[in-house]
């Protein structure tokens, strides 16, 4: 079998496995965070979590597929490792950037929710106090 094809197969297997692992980890651990962001609405948190995971898969697997083709034919075993290290390194960087982007957006939403909750008084007003003459 051609070394280029071997490199493609290894690249696809490792990239897809990494994408699935990261998506599952983010989904499992991000659910609690989403529930907090969405003020305890578990059903909405699950729906948003599922949508984020689907988007994550689409973007990352699309990138993996687009980045599959190589410019050169791989001639030796060293070339296989060099091509794989470059391709997998870029995929890992894209996964990391996607993760940081998700965390940043969710943190912004969470902050907005916390600020909105802080603006509501802890106890509803119970009546008016008459102004005093000395004030």
């Amino acid at each position: 079998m051609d070394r280029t094809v071997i490199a493609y197969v290894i690249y696809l297997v490792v990239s897809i496995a990494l994408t699935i692992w990261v998506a599952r980890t983010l989904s499992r651990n991000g659910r609690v965070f989403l529930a907090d962001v969405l003020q305890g609405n578990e059903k909405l948190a699950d729906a948003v979590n599922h949508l984020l995971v689907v988007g994550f898969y689409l973007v990352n697997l699309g990138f993996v597929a687009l980045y599959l083709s190589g410019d050169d034919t791989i001639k030796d075993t060293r070339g296989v490792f060099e091509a794989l290290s470059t391709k997998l390194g870029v995929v890992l960087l894209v996964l990391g950037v996607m993760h940081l982007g998700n965390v940043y957006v969710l943190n912004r939403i969470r902050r907005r929710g916390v600020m909105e909750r802080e603006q509501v008084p802890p106890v509803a007003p119970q009546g008016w106090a008459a102004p005093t003459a000395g004030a």
Side-chain angles (χ1 to χ4, degrees), residues 17-85:
L18 282 170
T19 300
I20 291 169
W21 175 72
V22 171
R24 285 186 178 176
T25 302
L26 293 176
S27 174
R28 184 176 52 250
N29 296 320
R31 187 182 177 285
V32 175
F33 184 74
L34 279 172
D36 180 50
V37 168
L38 299 171
Q39 300 171 2
N41 189 341
E42 297 287 330
K43 193 171 182 179
L44 183 60
D46 287 338
V48 170
N49 195 19
H50 184 72
L51 291 173
L52 286 172
V53 168
V54 169
F56 187 83
Y57 277 130
L58 289 173
V59 170
N60 284 300
L61 293 176
F63 176 77
V64 166
L66 286 173
Y67 201 60
L68 176 64
S69 65
D71 297 337
D72 300 331
T73 301
I74 299 173
K75 297 178 178 128
D76 56 1
T77 306
R78 178 181 174 184
V80 170
F81 283 104
E82 289 173 354
L84 284 173
S85 67

Side-chain angles (χ1 to χ4, degrees), residues 60 63 86-99:
N60 284 300
F63 176 77
T86 301
K87 287 187 177 298
L88 291 175
V90 172
V91 167
L92 288 170
L93 288 173
V94 169
L95 286 169
V97 168
M98 288 289 296
H99 169 63

